[in-house]
């Protein structure tokens, strides 16, 4: 049986697209992209899910709503869809220790830097690339890692380095890190983990 994967998104969903494209090329043989969940109703990623024929759900955290209530709803959506594995692909919310405890080595995340640089709370999206440029590093990259109770702190699955150019802006750097690292690494790591889970489920 294939590992049923839920992809959690918040925005543009280019990493989701990379997963969809890899799956359609037959590069995700042990996984099925079974569900997309967005915590942002306007996320373009939802359109990508629709175009690919993947069921999608919106799970919003209400203003002032306790994280536990939001996560309980998310957990119900995942359980209701018989999800085995979760991929955070540009999901801009930190999951609690309580939540991730239910998914040991079953949640992976893509982070747009070489962990342990430029990671942890507050480092997401363009902020990560701005921080790398401000620091003046010459090389950055992307990391795919398991998600545990420490933000960006779980075991590393794969990393790829990307060179920084003299005239990079956070936007140009973000694009290069996506093209040269994230969109390649994430589908590969997803297949690796999906295969492991599929074997354990037998
Ligand atoms: C990606 O660069 C992803 O690595 C990053 O947000 C972007 C989402 O783009 N994630 C984080 O910063 C999480 N800490 P996408 O919606 O086009 O995939």
């Amino acid at each position: 049986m294939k590992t049923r994967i839920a992809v959690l998104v918040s925005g543009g969903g280019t990493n989701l697209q990379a997963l969809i494209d890899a799956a359609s090329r037959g590069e995700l043989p042990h996984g099925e992209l079974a569900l997309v969940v967005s915590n942002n109703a306007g996320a373009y990623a939802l359109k990508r899910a629709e175009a690919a024929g993947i069921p999608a759900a919106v799970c919003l955290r209400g203003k002032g709503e306790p994280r536990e209530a939001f996560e309980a709803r998310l957990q119900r959506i995942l359980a209701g869809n018989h999800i085995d594995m979760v991929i955070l692909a540009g999901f801009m919310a930190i999951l609690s220790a309580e939540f991730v405890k239910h998914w040991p080595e079953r949640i992976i995340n893509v982070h747009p830097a070489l962990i342990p640089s430029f990671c942890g709370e507050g480092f997401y999206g363009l902020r990560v690339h701005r921080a790398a440029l401000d620091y003046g590093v010459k090389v950055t990259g992307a990391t795919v890692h398991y998600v545990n109770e420490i933000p960006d702190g779980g075991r590393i699955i794969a990393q790829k380095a990307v060179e920084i150019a003299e005239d990079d802006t956070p936007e140009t750097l973000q694009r290069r890190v996506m093209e040269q690292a994230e969109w390649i690494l994430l589908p590969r790591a997803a297949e690796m983990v999906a295969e492991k889970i599929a074997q354990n489920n037998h």
Side-chain angles (χ1 to χ4, degrees), residues 128-140:
V128 178
H129 302 293
R130 203 168 291 128
L133 291 175
D134 285 349
Y135 199 96
V137 292
K138 302 300 178 201
V139 173
T140 184

Side-chain angles (χ1 to χ4, degrees), residues 158-169:
Q159 286 188 306
K160 194 164 185 293
V162 173
E163 293 210 0
I164 292 180
E166 280 291 320
D167 57 350
D168 261 332
T169 62

Side-chain angles (χ1 to χ4, degrees), residues 37-164:
V37 183
S38 176
N39 66 347
N40 164 17
Y44 187 71
L46 289 168
K47 299 233 183 317
R48 297 181 190 272
E50 196 186 345
I54 303 171
V58 174
C59 185
L60 301 178
R61 181 169 174 191
K63 239 193 155 102
E65 183 186 21
R67 183 157 69 174
E68 300 72 48
F70 163 74
E71 289 183 342
R73 272 186 290 117
L74 178 58
Q75 182 66 38
R76 273 199 298 278
I77 292 171
L78 298 176
N81 285 276
H82 310 288
I83 295 303
D84 306 302
M85 168 182 171
V86 174
I87 300 179
L88 308 184
F91 185 63
M92 302 302 178
I94 292 178
L95 297 167
S96 71
E98 187 53 34
F99 183 91
V100 301
K101 206 171 71 190
H102 295 294
W103 298 87
E105 302 223 320
R106 281 170 181 252
I107 310 178
I108 68 171
N109 177 49
V110 60
H111 182 75
L114 294 173
I115 290 175
S117 288
F118 312 115
C119 66
E121 238 172 306
F123 286 97
Y124 56 85
L126 280 174
R127 290 174 184 229
V128 178
H129 302 293
R130 203 168 291 128
L133 291 175
D134 285 349
Y135 199 96
V137 292
K138 302 300 178 201
V139 173
T140 184
T143 303
V144 179
H145 63 92
Y146 286 110
V147 172
N148 68 3
E149 69 287 356
I150 302 159
D152 297 325
R155 193 152 64 81
I156 290 173
I157 300 166
Q159 286 188 306
K160 194 164 185 293
V162 173
E163 293 210 0
I164 292 180

Side-chain angles (χ1 to χ4, degrees), residues 12-23 44 47-49 51-52 183:
T14 64
N15 279 288
L16 166 65
Q17 192 65 53
L19 290 163
I20 292 168
D21 294 345
Y44 187 71
K47 299 233 183 317
R48 297 181 190 272
W183 300 342

Side-chain angles (χ1 to χ4, degrees), residues 21-45:
D21 294 345
S24 70
R25 291 193 302 264
E27 290 168 13
L28 196 55
H30 294 89
E32 179 189 347
L33 300 175
L35 182 69
V36 170
V37 183
S38 176
N39 66 347
N40 164 17
Y44 187 71

